[in-house]
Each structure stands twice: as C-alpha cells, then as structure tokens.
Amino acid sequence: MSTTQTNKFEIIKASTSKINEVDFENLSFGSVFTDHLLECDYTNGQWQKPVIKPYAPFLLDPSVRVFHYGQAIFEGMKAYKDDDEALWLFRPDENYKRFNNSAVRMAMPEVPEEVFIEGLNQLLQLDEAWVKKGKGNTLYIRPFMIATGTGVIASPSNDYKFMIILSPAKSYYSGEVKVLIAEHYSRAANGGIGAAKAAGNYGAQFYPTSLANKEGFQQVIWTDDATHTKLEEAGTMNVFFRINDTLLTAPVSERILDGITRKSLIDIAEKEGIDVQIRPVLVSELVEASKNGTLKEIFGAGTAAVVNPIVGFSYQDVYYELPKTEDSMALRLKDMLTNIQHKLAEDTFGWTVKV
C-alpha cells in the first residue's frame, strides 16, 4: 500500500487488486465495487482534505443523524471507455448541480467542485482498468453524502461524510416489465423532497412496489399525490408515453426528479424531428389511447437502465397490453444516446467529457 500527497488530495493505493476475481460478463448490478473510494469529511464548518483510499467498511457512532433523521443524498452517474481505451463521463456538470440542489433541500452543505469533479477524475484514473470498453459496459458511479454528527436531537447535523464508490455494470433491468398505476400510494408531494435524490424517497417506494410485485408487476407508475390522475414517474425512473408518433412526458416539479437521461432523450428526440410534448399526462388519457389503439409505447428512462421498455400496465384491476412495434421509438432513442455515451457517434450536444 502506497500513499501519495498532493495539494488537494491524499491518495492511498491498495496493495492488491480484486479485479481478477470479477466475472465482468455476469455482473449483478451494484454488487461489485472497485479497489478504491473517495472520502471527504465536513467538520467545524468546512470541508477537509479528500482522501482516495482502498474500498473498505467504516465505523459510525450509533447516534449519527443519518440513522435517526435521514439526512442522506446520492447521485447516479456512469463512466464509459471508447474503442481507443479513452475514458469519458456523460454530463457530469448536471449530476454535480443536482447533487448540490439535493444537499440544499436536505439542509446539508454543498460539496465543492474540486472535491466532486476533480476527486471523481482522480478516482477514475486510479481504477480505470475496471471500465471495460464495448457498448453496454459501463462503470456505475455513486456519489453520496450522509450526516455523521452524533446525538439524537432532532436538528441538522454539524458533520457530514461525502463519498464516491464505483461499480462495474451492464444492464440494470432484464426481462419484460409490467407496471401497476398507483391509485393510493404516492412517491412525493408538493412541498416535499421528490425533486431531491434523497435516500428516503427510495425507501418509501419499497413497500408499495413490493405489493405490486406480489400481483405480478415489476414496477409502479406513480401518480400525483392530490388526485392520482396525473402520471409522473415509473419506479425509480422518469417515464415517457408514445401516442401515435408524439412523445409525452410530465414536466419536472417539486414531485418529479429532473432526470439527466430524461432531458437528454428529449433533446435527441427534438433534434430528430419527433413531436415532444412536456405536459401533464392523465391516466384517463393513457387508458383511452390504449383502448383506441393510439398508445404505441411506454418506457422508463434513467441512468442505470438508460431506457426500459414497458410491455403493459394495470389500472383499476384492468390490464392493458401494449402492441408489439417494429419501429420502437424507445429503442431507437436508447441506441442514439448510448452511441453518444460510448463515442460511437458524434456528440453534437457537447455532453461527453474526457477524464
């Protein structure tokens, strides 16, 4: 194990690597992690020197605030390797901005750019062998922050820990996805934290999703909390609907996450001349479109899955099967986006950033 000091980072290299123990052709998403992580503590009102060190567990006091009051946020990003073995990120500035927006909403300190962006670059350069070239191979990046201040008084923490961990990945979902449209449970409410990537948003989804799983559905399409008439997100993803050749998706709001994959797909679709409508989409509109045959596709969009086609949905105990389509807009947009990410197509948007 060797240690390197720079003006900005302390780098402690692992004495051995786990990489030869990993079957990169049979990865379970988010279960295998690289040799190193980044860690930076916030204490006494300021960020300390970031450390890149071997991946390992760490100890926490039982009274730290994250356990009792849920101050925890995260991001999801990916790194890609092109055919020339160069390493790329996709719109990291958007993840950085959203991470700090989440921090502000959860009364947590914003992370400096040199810690988040420069630290990530240093970490990726150290573990770059874990990023395999070839379309579909990625390195999933999980920046997160937790409250580490001690004491069970109900107030924001004074101390925090920011970390980045890396996980080699292939596809997030596999197989057909059927969804249940929520009629009672909500993902988020106006004035709440739905637009933040707060850990509690995801924990609160698990129970209604487990109920849907028992009925044979893989995910829930969440509806608005007030009326349950507006379609908002699908599981942990933004959701799109294709009616005839028009692509519909709900606008971002206090309840809906501003997805980076979502906004990228919208930009690509508009450039391709597809009619994209960003507006509230009603459950009744979806049901009617399914009945009259104009509903062609539904798909989720997010960093992990990129694009996840949905084969059918259930509402008020009626199941609506989507038609098989030879010209899938979902798969066409996914292919165009992943080609940009893997540097197989020209990035005319300026989204890709070399590490």
Side-chain angles (χ1 to χ4, degrees):
M1 190 177 294
S2 63
T3 302
T4 303
Q5 296 283 348
T6 70
N7 290 333
K8 296 180 179 179
F9 300 93
E10 178 182 2
I11 301 174
I12 306 169
K13 294 184 180 180
S15 55
T16 59
S17 176
K18 305 172 291 188
I19 195 167
N20 291 330
E21 302 169 13
V22 177
D23 180 0
F24 283 88
E25 294 305 313
N26 295 285
L27 292 168
S28 177
F29 186 89
S31 62
V32 175
F33 297 94
T34 65
D35 293 320
H36 300 90
L37 56 77
L38 180 143
E39 180 180 81
C40 188
D41 291 316
Y42 180 89
T43 187
N44 297 322
Q46 60 185 359
W47 287 100
Q48 307 302 304
K49 191 171 189 176
V51 180
I52 295 173
K53 63 183 186 179
Y55 186 99
F58 59 94
L59 293 174
L60 289 174
D61 189 287
S63 72
V64 294
R65 304 287 173 88
V66 66
F67 294 149
H68 302 275
Y69 304 111
Q71 277 185 291
I73 60 172
F74 68 94
E75 267 300 321
M77 310 167 63
K78 283 181 178 177
Y80 312 82
K81 189 170 279 185
D82 66 21
D83 288 341
D84 296 322
E85 300 283 346
L87 198 56
W88 298 84
L89 291 169
F90 182 75
R91 307 188 77 173
D93 55 324
E94 292 288 342
N95 291 102
Y96 172 66
K97 180 172 66 175
R98 190 172 66 181
F99 188 86
N100 278 338
N101 288 341
S102 297
V104 169
R105 182 61 184 85
M106 295 299 291
M108 305 170 82
E110 295 181 61
V111 176
E113 185 172 357
E114 66 181 31
V115 175
F116 191 106
I117 299 294
E118 291 185 41
L120 174 57
N121 274 266
Q122 292 275 346
L123 180 60
L124 287 171
Q125 288 170 22
L126 195 58
D127 280 348
E128 65 89 19
W130 289 78
V131 193
K132 302 301 181 183
K133 67 180 183 180
K135 193 171 179 180
N137 294 319
T138 62
L139 187 69
Y140 185 76
I141 301 165
R142 172 53 61 90
F144 66 99
M145 179 163 51
I146 59 172
T148 54
T150 57
V152 295
I153 182 171
S155 65
S157 175
N158 292 319
D159 302 314
Y160 297 88
K161 186 180 292 292
F162 170 72
M163 303 185 78
I164 304 177
I165 56 177
L166 309 173
S167 178
K170 284 187 176 288
S171 177
Y172 186 53
Y173 295 110
S174 60
E176 291 189 343
V177 175
K178 299 177 181 179
V179 297
L180 181 68
I181 293 180
E183 298 177 55
H184 172 71
Y185 294 102
S186 300
R187 176 188 175 274
N190 284 332
I193 59 171
K197 279 191 78 72
N201 285 342
Y202 297 80
Q205 293 184 38
F206 293 159
Y207 176 66
T209 302
S210 71
L211 296 179
N213 294 160
K214 291 175 182 177
E215 294 184 42
F217 300 95
Q218 286 71 46
Q219 290 290 347
V220 174
I221 289 188
W222 306 104
T223 50
D224 68 292
D225 63 298
T227 67
H228 293 291
T229 61
K230 299 173 184 176
L231 298 156
E232 301 206 320
E233 290 196 2
T236 59
M237 301 176 288
N238 296 116
V239 64
F240 288 83
F241 310 92
R242 176 188 172 189
I243 296 179
N244 285 322
D245 287 325
T246 298
L247 196 60
L248 309 175
T249 192
V252 295
S253 68
E254 291 180 308
R255 303 184 306 274
I256 298 176
L257 190 71
D258 186 10
I260 294 160
T261 303
R262 170 191 176 275
K263 64 176 69 177
S264 303
L265 291 173
I266 290 171
D267 287 348
I268 292 171
E270 289 178 338
K271 186 177 180 182
E272 288 297 298
I274 296 170
D275 179 19
V276 181
Q277 295 184 14
I278 303 170
R279 62 170 176 80
V281 183
L282 300 178
V283 179
S284 59
E285 183 180 2
L286 190 71
V287 170
E288 179 58 31
S290 181
K291 288 180 177 178
N292 65 29
T294 58
L295 177 63
K296 306 299 183 183
E297 295 180 80
I298 304 174
F299 59 93
T303 298
V306 186
V307 167
N308 193 207
I310 292 167
V311 300
F313 68 93
S314 179
Y315 180 65
Q316 294 185 341
D317 297 323
V318 178
Y319 181 69
Y320 300 87
E321 186 86 23
L322 269 72
K324 304 293 183 183
T325 177
E326 294 296 322
D327 179 27
S328 170
M329 188 179 289
L331 297 182
R332 179 156 58 101
L333 291 173
K334 178 181 181 179
D335 193 53
M336 296 178 75
L337 177 57
T338 53
N339 280 345
I340 292 172
Q341 291 170 331
H342 287 274
K343 306 302 289 183
L344 298 172
E346 183 182 1
D347 175 16
T348 59
F349 299 95
W351 289 334
T352 51
V353 178
K354 195 171 186 178
V355 174

